[in-house]
Structure formats: C-alpha cells, structure tokens
Amino acid sequence: MTALMRYHAALLLRSQRWLPPFLLYAAFLAISIQAGQPVLDSLGYTAAALLPVAAWLARICVTGEPDAARGCVAAAAGPGRAHVACLLVALAGATALGTLAILVVTPLSDPVASDHSTRVPLAAACGAGLLAALACALLGTAVGALTSRPLLRSPGRAVLALLLAALLSLVATGSPAQAAVRGLVTGSRRGTVPLPLLPLAGAALVTAAALALAGALASRRSP
C-alpha cells in the first residue's frame, strides 16, 4: 500500500491538477478570514471550507490516472487496493492542507470569544481546530469517494452529486462535519473550547465505510 500511495502521490503532484482546489481554498481564506477575528469562528470557517476541497481532491486522484496505467497498476496490485490508495493520498493531501491552514489562521486570530472580551486559550483552540479540520477532510474524502468512479461514471452526474453531497455534509443535522464546525461556533459564543472527538470518530467511521465500498466496487467492476 505504501508503494501505491507513493505512486499516486507522485502522479498527483506531477499533474498539477491539485492547484485549482488549493488556490481556491487559499483565496477563500484570504477573503473570509481577517486578522483579529475571534479565533474559534475563524477556525470554524477554515475547517468547513476544507470539506469541498477534500472532495474535489479525491475526485482528482480517482480520475487523474490514464486508463492504460490504471490497468497495469490494477493488474499488479489489485484494483481495489489501487483505488483505496489513491483515495488515501487525497485524504493525506487534504489533511496536510487543513493542518497548514489552521496553523496559519490561529496566530492571526484574536484569542477571544464572540463577545471580544472573554479570553480563549489559543493552544486549546488550535487543537480543536485541527480536530475539526481532520473531521472535514475525512468526510470530504468520503464524499469524493462516493461521487466518483466506480460508483458514478458520468462526469456531469458525478460533479453535481459531489457538490450536493458536500453542501449537505456541511449543513445537514447529524453530519459529523456540521457537528464539528457548529461546536467551534457555539464554543465561540460561550467562551469555551470544545473538542470535537465524537464528530471526528463519526467522520472516521463514515470514511472507512466509503473507502471500503469504493474499493470493493472497484474490484468487482474492473475489466
């Protein structure tokens, strides 16, 4: 699996198809996050915006390999393992991007609650932001896995499904990503720092199931 992930990571980096989602994420943060904003609110925005980026990155990794190369890799390592490996590369990329964003946004923000008077511990806020970003990266990868091949082969339907699923993952009650982001926003109002451990566990379970399903279908539908 390690060799497969290195192969897919090298393929992704050389293709430069990762640039649009990364640049869009950076532009969103530059517009939405202002220095001096309450730290938990800023971290909530940072984590939430990572989810569609992670889904987009997963789709890029799944669809970026040439058909001939995909066939060779599938024959050598198995189509299921190869498919899961490229999704894990997408997850690693989204996690690294989210971690970097949280570490940049945290010191730029003001360590206060929404009332701008209650102090918020910056280190604890950063930790909560990292956990929320990881939950969003996990769920975004699951969205990308479930809205790409082999589940959806039509590009038009797949992109539409990805957008709708990403939106629902951010706003639907019960979604781990929505719970993690809401926890940060609510904590900012109350002047407390919540640790989104339960949403993170839920996101991890959903992502594991999504990757297992995608890998199984890749094995069954391979030529």
Side-chain angles (χ1 to χ4, degrees):
M1 185 65 75
T2 302
L4 284 172
M5 291 182 65
R6 285 201 302 265
Y7 163 74
H8 283 291
L11 191 67
L12 175 65
L13 290 174
R14 286 199 302 267
S15 72
Q16 297 186 355
R17 295 178 66 195
W18 54 270
L19 276 174
F22 276 42
L23 292 176
L24 183 62
Y25 185 58
F28 173 84
L29 295 183
I31 295 171
S32 303
I33 307 299
Q34 303 295 327
Q37 285 181 343
V39 62
L40 291 175
D41 290 334
S42 297
L43 294 177
Y45 284 118
T46 305
L50 184 64
L51 193 152
V53 172
W56 189 357
L57 193 61
R59 175 166 176 77
I60 288 173
C61 288
V62 168
T63 60
E65 192 177 14
D67 291 338
R70 185 184 302 110
C72 292
V73 174
R81 293 181 72 246
H83 191 77
V84 171
C86 72
L87 290 171
L88 291 176
V89 167
L91 174 59
T95 301
L97 179 62
T99 300
L100 177 61
I102 294 294
L103 294 178
V104 170
V105 167
T106 301
L108 292 177
S109 304
D110 198 2
V112 294
S114 296
D115 58 10
H116 291 275
S117 60
T118 305
R119 303 296 294 179
V120 172
L122 202 60
C126 182
L130 288 172
L131 293 178
L134 179 56
C136 289
L138 283 165
L139 203 59
T141 303
V143 168
L146 296 176
T147 57
S148 301
R149 63 171 67 171
L151 283 87
L152 294 177
R153 295 183 179 272
S154 170
R157 293 179 180 177
V159 171
L160 180 59
L162 186 149
L163 294 174
L164 291 176
L167 178 61
L168 288 175
S169 298
L170 287 173
V171 301
T173 301
S175 165
Q178 191 264 358
V181 174
R182 183 184 59 191
L184 293 177
V185 175
T186 303
S188 182
R189 294 173 183 168
R190 298 175 178 175
T192 60
V193 180
L195 288 180
L197 297 177
L198 188 59
L200 178 60
L205 289 175
V206 171
T207 305
L211 265 61
L213 176 61
L217 288 179
S219 298
R220 293 182 59 182
R221 296 183 182 181
S222 62

